[in-house]
């Protein structure tokens, strides 16, 4: 905004402040504010601007602080009110409600993946169907065109497995800026820096304009919107406490008024507003607030005002007699049977060496304070750090509960100890509350009633650790809204009323290294950590499945063995057969922790858990799990959900489940102990046959003309409904690719070489077309080795040809020639002319990449001659495309265009959309090399359109087309467009694991970064 007077007035009105309130908050006089707003002061003093900017997010010349307002950023996305996108202070027009809904959902989970199904469910609800996922793709595509054009320095919406992610910095989205400011405010408050805390809280609250996503009705009841509104309330209440401590009640009038207009029945917010109004001398207004909410509580809920509202009313009525708020809940009440009035402080110490989870702890504290008395539930598998996290969060929340902090271990997952029953638990709690042992009731209901009575109106915090089930903890829950509760359990406790669930995940790699270092950091007992130890520590973290329990045991073992290094430890843990034994130390053991959960399973659940280890994979779908267990899919899914509830299994995505490595090794030990070898073999063969049926269906969908690949090896039953299009195949490939080498390894270990070669052949095109070449390399190597063991020439021809093809694309050209020549010889031996033609084409590709152009052209001509008259227009078009590319490499772009246009005629005739896109891309490249940049740009855009028409988005081919278009834009002087195209290309290549994160960063940071090798090899 060019005019500071207009800007100041707009910012002040958006914040709901009068000139007098702004003056009180900023320390700038009303006269100066009035002069600035009326334009009489064009250049206010820097100090004046700084003070105003501490209160309102004003734009300051030269300031790079993202909190100075939307006009200082290239893109500023605001969801704390109506959805807005701004570019340099101007509003950016967005599409319809569902497009806005997609953007709102992504912003609510900024920098996190939002699954496609979650987007569809949120926007279409019960009407969500198969077409909704495609509609989501369309909305994202339009948003990308709108946002990426403006965010010239980065790609905002990126595709991740099963969903999308909005990739932004804290200053790009108001909700992230709000959370960062609240964290800063709490840090200042905890260090007793109350003035600084008030400034940060004030800036955070100023970012709110209204309800989140006010103009996106479809999301009004979304859980994340509700949670975000709760964050606002919690922050405002904490701000009010700070303001009260400073005697600056005027600071919180505006945010509390805004919140009570929305949260019409929130008693604590209204109580705080009454106190703030009274502190500003507005006792009458405070009593009006009390009267209004009292009527609403009676009319809407049929209840009277609670203790905090009553306390606030009393405070207002005695204003001037006692300036501080007397909260009725403070202090320990004495009564019959009570001991000393000292408030209990029973929290155990924070675990030494606790690392990470900072944002999660902030969220836990916010919820345990703001959503009391709802129990905050931390669930997760054994050894993941639930108890340590609960204690850490409890300590940080303790100052909100001055009347006592209680800790009770219910031993629901403690080896060799019986879980506490409710009566024993209540007895311990009542004794902590000062009740004599003899006076503790012997009836559960009576004891629970006495517990609720003694906690009523008192600000107390309860941590119930290691809860087995809901029955064990339900009677222990206080009823008073002044009490906070944290519960930890291996189960999700779905039947626990009002629970606020937090499902704990494993530690990120960086935090794992920090934990390892802290537990083995003493030079007298453990090795110092040097720069060369990072890789070994990362290996230890992987082998410990990133579980804090396993990591701490591993580090402790290292600390008492001076001769060991991090590499020594990593090498010992690398042996799967002894890993669980290595992770034992005195009374701590990963195996024992897992056994506690396993013993709670019924026989069907236990059998399912054991069977999940048999394929040697960490993630599998319902159909594979059902085949392993020999059960119908619906029964298997029920059992998997029950194992998920017990946190022995995790949900990776809808219909997919994963087992971390240590649990898998534990399950494998149990399977070897309980299940006969022949039964285990039959289970694996069932899963392999099931997987082969699915792979064959995927192959038919991707390359229908190569149906012969689905006949190699044993016959299989149908694969159910099957894939409907290429995108469904790609989604399946993305979900399964990382597991497929292990699956083929399991088949090879059984000696099922016919299954191995069949799987290898069926998986070739689905993996290749998706660009998953590294996984395909491992699959093809296993397939070729199995074919060699079988000795069948047809199997050898197919598998060695596939291996040579993928090696060529990975740049291993000499190795590729070896395998392609083996394949060619085997095809000639069996008289397979079409197979011979395919290998001649592939050999021509390798010779072309080696710069041996005459040999390449000769092989292509021989291939075309063999294909001629056989009706294989598909193979002929591929060879013509490769011939054109060879002419291009050899410096004859005109001949290249001729051959490529012949290829296009073939691909269009047979409606080969992928082949058409590839040929168009090479025609575009030929024109670029001839300096015909406008013509090249036209063909690259046609190629990208063909990628979309072929559902070939996210492929290496699409990445190559984006890169070429970027080179054209650069030649035409459009540097911004060139950078955007490069970003699109490297994002795809990185998602396909074809370039490293470092190479991606280098390319995105440079203006002329050079073409990645993976693209050069295909040009």
């Amino acid at each position: 905004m060019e005019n500071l007077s207009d800007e100041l007035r707009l910012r002040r009105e958006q914040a709901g402040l009068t000139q007098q309130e702004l003056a009180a908050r900023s320390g700038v006089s009303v006269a100066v504010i009035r002069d600035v707003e009326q334009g009489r002061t064009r250049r206010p003093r820097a100090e004046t601007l700084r003070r105003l900017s501490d209160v309102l997010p004003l734009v300051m010349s030269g300031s790079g602080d993202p909190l100075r307002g939307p006009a200082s950023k290239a893109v500023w996305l605001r969801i704390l009110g109506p959805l807005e996108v701004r570019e340099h202070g101007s509003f950016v027009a967005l599409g319809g409600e569902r497009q806005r809904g997609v953007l709102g959902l992504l912003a609510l989970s900024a920098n996190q993946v939002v699954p496609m199904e979650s987007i569809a469910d949120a926007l279409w609800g019960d009407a969500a169907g198969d077409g909704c996922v495609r509609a989501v793709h369309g909305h994202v595509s339009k948003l990308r065109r709108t946002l990426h054009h403006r965010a010239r320095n980065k790609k905002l919406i990126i595709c991740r497995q099963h969903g999308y992610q909005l990739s932004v910095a804290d200053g790009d989205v108001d909700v992230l800026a709000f959370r960062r400011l609240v964290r800063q405010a709490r840090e200042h408050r905890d260090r007793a820096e109350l003035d600084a805390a008030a400034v940060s809280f004030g800036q955070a609250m100023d970012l709110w304009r209204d309800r989140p996503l006010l103009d996106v009705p479809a999301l009004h009841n979304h859980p994340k919107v509700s949670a975000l509104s709760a964050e606002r309330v919690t922050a405002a209440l904490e701000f009010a406490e700070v303001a009260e401590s400073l005697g600056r009640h005027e600071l919180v009038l505006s945010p509390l008024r805004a919140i009570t207009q929305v949260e019409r029945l929130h008693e604590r917010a209204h109580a705080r507003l009454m106190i703030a109004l009274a502190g500003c001398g507005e006792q009458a207004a405070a009593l009006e607030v009390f009267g209004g909410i009292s009527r609403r509580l009676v009319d809407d809920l049929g209840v009277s005002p609670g203790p905090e509202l009553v306390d606030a009313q009393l405070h207002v009525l005695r204003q001037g007699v006692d300036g501080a708020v007397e909260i009725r809940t403070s202090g320990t009440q004495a009564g019959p049977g009570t001991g000393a009035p000292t408030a209990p402080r029973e929290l155990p110490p924070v675990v030494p060496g606790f690392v990470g989870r900072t944002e999660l702890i902030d969220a836990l504290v916010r919820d345990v304070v703001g959503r009391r008395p709802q129990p905050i539930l931390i669930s997760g598998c054994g050894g993941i750090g639930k108890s340590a996290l609960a204690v850490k969060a409890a300590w940080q929340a303790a100052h909100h509960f001055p009347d006592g902090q209680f800790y009770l271990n219910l031993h629901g997952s403690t080896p060799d100890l019986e879980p506490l029953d409710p009566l024993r638990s209540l007895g311990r709690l009542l004794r902590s509350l000062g009740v004599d042992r003899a006076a503790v009731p012997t009836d559960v209901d009576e004891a629970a009633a006495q517990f609720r009575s003694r906690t009523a109106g008192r600000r107390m915090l309860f941590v119930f650790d290691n809860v087995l089930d809901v029955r064990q903890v339900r009677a222990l829950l206080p009823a008073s809204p002044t009490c906070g509760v944290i519960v930890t359990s291996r189960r999700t406790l779905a039947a626990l009323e009002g629970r606020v669930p937090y499902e704990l995940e494993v530690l990120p790699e960086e935090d794992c290294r920090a934990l390892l270092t802290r537990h083995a950091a003493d030079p007298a007992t453990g090795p110092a950590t040097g720069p060369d130890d990072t890789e070994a520590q990362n290996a230890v973290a992987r082998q410990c499945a990133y579980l804090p329990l396993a990591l701490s045991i591993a580090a402790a073992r290292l600390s008492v063995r001076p001769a060991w290094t991090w590499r020594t430890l990593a090498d010992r843990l690398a042996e799967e057969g002894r890993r669980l034994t290595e992770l034992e130390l005195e009374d701590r053991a990963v195996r024992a922790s897992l056994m506690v959960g396993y013993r709670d399973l019924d026989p069907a659940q236990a059998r399912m858990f054991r069977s999940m280890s048999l394929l040697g994979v960490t993630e599998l779908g319902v159909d594979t799990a059902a085949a392993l267990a020999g059960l119908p899919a619906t029964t298997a899914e029920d059992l998997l959900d029950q194992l998920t509830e017990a946190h022995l299994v995790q949900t990776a995505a809808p219909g997919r489940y994963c087992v971390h490595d240590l649990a898998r090794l534990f399950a494998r030990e149990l399977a070897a102990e309980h299940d006969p070898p022949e039964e285990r073999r039959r289970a694996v063969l069932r899963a392999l046959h099931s997987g082969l049926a699915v792979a064959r269906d995927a192959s038919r969908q991707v390359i229908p003309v190569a149906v012969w690949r689905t006949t190699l090896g044993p016959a299989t039953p149908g694969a159910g409904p099957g894939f409907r299009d290429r995108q469904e195949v790609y989604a399946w490939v993305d979900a399964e690719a990382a597991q497929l080498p292990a699956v083929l390894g399991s088949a090879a270990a059984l000696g099922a070489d016919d299954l191995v070669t069949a799987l290898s052949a069926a998986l070739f095109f689905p993996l290749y077309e998706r660009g998953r070449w590294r996984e395909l390399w491992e699959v093809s190597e296993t397939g070729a080795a199995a074919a060699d063991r079988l000795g069948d020439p047809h199997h050898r021809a197919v598998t060695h040809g596939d291996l040579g093809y993928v090696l060529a694309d990975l740049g291993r050209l000499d190795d590729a020639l070896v395998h392609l020549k083996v394949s060619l010889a085997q095809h000639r031996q069996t008289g397979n002319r079409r197979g011979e033609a395919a290998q001649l084409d592939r050999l021509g590709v390798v010779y072309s990449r080696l710069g041996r152009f005459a040999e390449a052209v000769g092989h292509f001509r021989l291939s075309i001659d063999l294909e001629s008259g056989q009706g294989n227009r598909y193979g002929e078009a591929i060879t013509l495309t490769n011939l054109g590319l060879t002419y291009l490499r050899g410096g004859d772009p005109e001949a290249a265009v001729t051959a490529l246009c012949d290829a296009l005629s073939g691909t269009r005739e047979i409606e080969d959309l992928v082949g058409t896109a590839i040929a168009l891309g090479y025609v575009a490249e030929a024109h670029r090399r001839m300096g015909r940049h406008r013509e090249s740009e036209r063909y690259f855009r046609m190629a990208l359109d063909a990628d979309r028409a072929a559902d070939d988005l996210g492929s290496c081919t699409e990445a190559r087309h984006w890169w070429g278009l970027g080179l054209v834009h650069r030649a035409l002087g459009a540097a911004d467009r060139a950078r955007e195209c490069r970003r699109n290309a490297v994002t795809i290549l990185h998602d396909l694991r074809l370039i490293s994160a470092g190479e991606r960063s280098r390319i995105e940071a440079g203006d002329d970064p050079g073409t990645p090798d993976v693209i050069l090899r295909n040009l």
Side-chain angles (χ1 to χ4, degrees):
M1 194 175 297
E2 294 180 1
N3 191 324
L4 182 61
S5 63
D6 290 340
E7 182 185 354
L8 177 60
R9 184 168 54 255
L10 174 62
R11 299 276 184 254
R12 179 177 58 76
E13 290 172 354
Q14 286 177 336
L17 298 176
T18 65
Q19 289 179 339
Q20 290 75 15
E21 289 171 336
L22 178 58
R25 292 184 58 172
S26 64
V28 177
S29 71
V30 174
V32 171
I33 293 172
R34 188 180 299 118
D35 286 346
V36 174
E37 289 193 352
Q38 293 176 359
R40 291 198 292 265
T41 302
R42 292 289 179 183
R43 291 182 169 229
R45 293 170 52 221
E47 177 62 15
T48 299
L49 271 178
R50 186 192 65 75
R51 289 185 179 183
L52 291 172
S53 294
D54 282 342
V55 176
L56 302 175
L58 294 174
V59 178
M60 295 180 67
S61 177
S63 171
D65 186 348
L67 298 178
R68 294 305 185 206
S72 68
K73 300 293 291 181
V75 172
W76 179 264
L77 176 57
R78 306 208 291 175
I79 66 171
L80 303 180
L83 178 65
E84 288 182 5
V85 176
R86 291 196 177 195
E87 180 188 15
H88 303 299
S90 301
F91 290 99
V92 175
L94 296 172
E97 181 178 333
R98 288 206 168 108
Q99 187 182 132
R100 298 166 67 83
V102 171
L103 182 56
L105 280 170
L106 296 178
L108 284 167
S109 301
N111 297 317
Q112 300 174 11
V113 179
V114 183
M116 196 72 65
E117 294 80 2
S118 298
I119 299 175
D121 289 345
L123 298 184
W124 281 273
D126 294 337
D130 295 337
C132 296
V133 171
R134 189 175 296 277
V136 172
H137 285 305
H139 290 313
V140 170
S141 181
K142 292 174 184 176
L143 284 170
R144 280 173 164 168
R145 286 197 292 272
T146 300
L147 301 180
H148 293 184
H149 173 69
R150 291 165 171 80
R152 296 183 177 89
N153 294 321
K154 70 181 296 186
K155 187 172 182 179
L156 286 177
I157 301 178
I158 54 181
C159 181
R160 294 294 189 213
Q161 186 175 349
H162 310 304
Y164 288 101
Q165 175 179 320
L166 182 69
S167 179
V168 286
D170 280 3
D172 291 334
V173 185
D174 56 0
V175 64
L176 297 183
F178 164 74
R179 287 170 175 158
R180 186 178 71 176
L181 283 164
V182 170
R183 286 197 300 271
Q184 291 175 356
R186 288 169 176 157
E187 289 169 2
H188 287 308
R189 177 200 62 197
D190 292 344
R191 293 195 296 265
E193 300 166 355
L194 297 187
D195 287 316
V199 170
S200 294
F201 271 128
Q203 290 176 338
M205 301 312 299
D206 285 341
L207 293 170
W208 285 81
R209 295 164 292 126
D210 211 311
R211 301 185 188 210
L213 296 167
L214 181 66
D215 55 347
V216 188
L219 299 182
H220 283 181
N221 296 320
H222 193 276
K224 285 189 176 291
V225 171
S226 302
L228 185 53
S229 297
E231 288 183 49
R232 179 192 190 187
V233 174
T234 300
L237 294 175
E238 292 179 30
F239 186 14
E241 291 178 1
V242 170
E244 182 185 353
S245 298
L246 290 170
R248 298 284 307 280
H249 296 283
E250 74 281 358
L251 297 179
V252 292
L253 286 178
S254 178
L256 288 175
R257 279 171 171 155
I259 285 170
T260 52
Q261 287 300 309
V262 176
E263 304 287 345
R264 305 282 288 168
L265 298 174
H266 198 293
E267 295 190 49
R268 193 169 178 218
H270 283 78
R272 279 295 171 188
L273 176 58
M274 291 169 61
I275 291 165
L277 287 167
C280 294
E282 300 181 38
Q283 284 82 359
L287 294 175
E288 285 182 14
V289 169
F290 179 80
I293 189 173
S294 298
R295 286 190 296 275
R296 289 192 295 276
L297 287 169
V298 172
D299 294 344
D300 295 354
L301 303 180
V303 299
S304 301
E308 282 198 270
L309 276 172
V310 173
D311 286 337
Q313 181 196 33
L314 291 173
H315 167 70
V316 173
L317 292 173
R318 66 170 179 262
Q319 182 75 26
V321 177
D322 183 358
V325 185
E326 288 286 343
I327 303 295
R328 230 180 345 171
T329 60
S330 61
T332 299
Q333 297 173 348
T338 64
T342 303
R345 300 288 186 266
E346 297 182 353
L347 295 179
V350 174
V351 172
F354 186 96
V355 299
R357 307 203 193 274
T358 304
E359 292 186 4
L360 182 56
I361 291 169
D362 288 344
L364 286 167
V365 172
R366 186 166 57 244
D367 278 345
V368 77
V369 173
R371 303 181 72 167
R372 50 192 173 186
Q374 292 175 264
I376 310 304
L377 172 65
I378 304 172
S379 62
C381 66
I384 203 168
K386 302 181 294 295
S387 300
L389 177 65
V391 171
K392 179 77 170 178
W395 273 106
Q396 292 202 198
H399 67 280
H400 292 283
F401 302 97
D403 298 339
Q405 302 104 43
F406 302 79
Y407 173 86
L408 186 60
N409 187 342
L410 276 72
H411 297 300
S413 56
T414 306
D416 303 321
L417 282 180
E418 285 294 319
L420 288 183
D421 61 59
L423 186 59
R424 289 172 62 200
S425 299
L426 285 165
R428 291 190 183 185
L429 291 169
L430 288 170
R431 289 195 297 275
S432 291
L433 287 165
V435 178
D436 291 335
R437 183 182 296 271
V440 173
T442 57
D443 176 77
V444 171
D445 291 339
E446 186 180 347
Q450 188 173 136
F451 172 70
R452 290 192 295 271
S453 175
R454 290 186 175 275
T455 55
R458 302 164 76 180
R459 289 186 290 177
M460 292 178 166
L461 175 63
F462 296 88
V463 178
F464 299 126
D465 198 10
N466 285 321
V467 172
L468 176 63
D469 54 28
V470 173
R471 182 195 64 82
Q472 194 186 20
V473 75
R474 182 177 280 128
L476 314 184
L477 301 178
S480 174
T482 59
C483 292
V485 179
I486 300 175
V487 175
T488 77
S489 177
R490 294 194 182 194
R491 298 183 175 273
T492 56
L493 303 186
L496 185 61
E497 297 86 350
R499 81 195 198 290
V500 181
Y502 282 84
E503 188 163 336
L504 201 53
E505 297 180 352
V506 296
L507 289 174
E509 201 167 67
E510 183 179 355
D511 288 344
C512 288
R513 290 198 304 272
L515 188 152
L516 287 168
T517 302
R518 289 189 186 182
H519 281 265
D522 187 350
T525 57
T529 302
D532 297 333
D533 291 322
T534 298
E535 183 180 345
Q537 286 186 326
N538 288 343
V540 171
R542 286 193 301 273
Q543 291 149 359
C544 289
Y546 307 100
L547 288 175
L549 172 63
L551 291 163
S552 61
I553 292 173
R557 283 174 61 82
L558 180 70
S559 70
V560 295
R561 289 165 175 79
W564 285 15
T565 65
W566 290 110
R567 176 49 57 192
T568 306
L569 180 61
D571 290 344
R572 292 177 69 91
L573 291 172
E575 298 181 40
E576 286 194 347
R578 61 185 289 178
R579 189 178 301 166
L580 289 173
T581 302
E582 288 288 332
L583 294 174
E584 293 180 3
L585 185 66
E586 297 178 359
D587 62 340
R588 304 176 71 206
V590 171
R591 185 184 282 113
S593 176
L594 291 167
M595 183 58 79
V596 172
Y598 179 75
R599 285 174 178 163
D600 289 336
L601 303 179
D602 64 32
Q605 295 166 348
R607 182 168 176 268
M608 173 60 78
F609 177 63
R610 296 194 304 271
S611 71
M612 293 183 75
S613 70
L614 299 178
L615 266 185
V617 299
T618 57
E619 182 181 317
L620 38 72
V622 170
D623 290 338
T624 304
L628 283 167
L631 295 170
T634 53
T635 304
E637 189 163 21
D638 287 342
L639 290 171
L640 289 166
D641 287 338
Q642 292 160 19
L643 292 173
T644 302
E645 159 74 11
H647 281 101
L648 284 168
V649 168
Q650 290 81 46
T651 302
R656 294 192 64 79
Y657 298 83
C658 59
V659 187
H660 67 69
D661 277 338
L662 297 179
R664 177 179 59 83
L665 295 177
F666 176 66
R668 192 170 71 185
E669 288 183 353
L670 293 170
E673 180 182 349
H674 296 287
D675 304 319
E678 187 54 38
E679 184 177 325
R680 300 200 300 272
R681 176 184 173 83
R682 285 197 300 269
V684 173
L685 287 173
R686 284 194 303 267
L688 292 172
H689 279 281
S690 172
L692 177 58
V694 176
R696 285 172 168 172
D697 184 53
S699 183
R700 284 189 290 264
Q701 182 64 239
V702 173
I703 307 291
V705 297
V707 68
W708 59 268
R709 284 184 172 272
T710 65
T711 64
L712 195 74
T716 55
F723 298 105
R724 288 171 295 186
D725 55 31
R726 181 182 290 263
Q727 285 304 123
E728 283 196 359
V729 173
Y730 285 171
W732 175 78
V733 168
D734 287 341
E736 295 285 356
Q739 314 296 326
L740 292 175
V743 170
L744 266 74
S746 296
L750 288 179
D753 287 331
D754 58 339
L755 272 171
V756 175
T757 54
L759 279 164
S760 177
L763 289 168
F764 179 79
F765 276 122
L767 287 169
Y768 186 85
E769 293 297 314
R770 186 55 175 155
R772 303 301 291 254
W773 298 343
R774 296 195 180 278
E775 292 91 347
L776 180 55
W777 171 23
E778 296 181 62
V779 165
S780 299
E781 267 197 328
T782 305
D788 289 344
R789 289 191 294 270
L790 286 172
D792 180 89
H794 182 47
H795 286 70
R796 295 191 74 221
V798 174
T799 55
H800 280 279
D802 291 348
L803 178 56
Y805 202 69
V806 72
L807 285 172
D809 279 327
L810 290 171
R812 294 177 54 181
L813 301 179
D814 291 333
D815 292 335
L817 285 176
V818 171
H819 291 284
L820 291 174
K821 288 176 179 178
V822 170
S823 178
L824 179 62
Q826 297 294 296
H827 279 303
R828 283 173 172 166
Q829 180 181 333
T830 59
N832 187 339
R833 286 171 58 87
R834 182 168 290 185
E836 183 182 350
Q839 299 319 305
L840 287 167
D841 171 72
R842 291 177 172 185
L843 283 164
V845 170
V846 177
Y847 286 130
S848 177
R849 290 174 179 170
L850 287 169
R852 295 156 63 173
F853 301 127
E855 290 175 88
V857 170
H859 278 75
F860 292 139
R861 292 298 181 194
L862 285 172
S863 177
I864 291 170
D865 289 343
L866 281 170
E867 293 285 12
S868 180
Q870 294 195 57
N872 185 15
R873 293 284 285 152
Y874 178 83
E876 192 175 343
I878 290 175
T879 304
L880 283 167
T881 300
N882 290 329
L883 177 62
L885 180 55
T886 299
Y887 283 134
L888 185 59
R889 289 176 177 144
D892 191 351
E894 294 286 1
V897 171
T898 300
L900 290 165
C901 287
D902 289 342
L904 278 171
S905 297
T907 59
R908 285 167 171 163
E909 177 186 331
I910 61 176
E911 297 182 349
D912 176 12
L913 298 177
V914 173
T916 298
I918 292 170
L920 284 168
Y922 288 138
V923 172
E925 179 63 18
H927 284 299
R928 187 187 73 81
R929 295 191 187 186
M930 288 187 284
R932 303 172 184 169
H933 294 116
R934 291 298 180 189
E935 192 71 357
S936 177
E937 179 184 10
R938 185 169 72 88
Y939 271 101
F940 272 126
R941 293 199 180 280
M942 290 169 63
L944 288 165
D945 288 341
D947 290 327
R948 282 188 286 274
D951 279 338
D952 201 26
L953 300 178
S955 66
C956 190
T957 301
E958 187 195 5
R960 191 165 63 240
H961 295 158
W962 279 117
W963 190 271
L965 183 59
L967 293 176
V968 171
H969 282 317
R970 186 168 179 272
L972 292 171
D976 290 340
R977 291 184 179 181
R979 279 193 295 272
E980 177 62 23
C981 290
R982 284 199 300 272
R983 279 196 299 273
N984 290 341
V986 297
T987 297
I988 293 170
L989 294 176
H990 182 259
D991 287 346
L992 294 174
R993 297 169 57 195
L994 295 174
I995 61 172
S996 66
E999 185 174 3
R1000 176 183 180 178
S1001 299
R1002 178 186 63 78
I1003 291 170
E1004 289 183 337
D1007 290 328
D1008 186 17
T1011 302
D1013 288 342
V1014 68
I1015 290 180
L1016 283 174
R1017 286 196 294 270
N1018 287 276
L1019 290 179

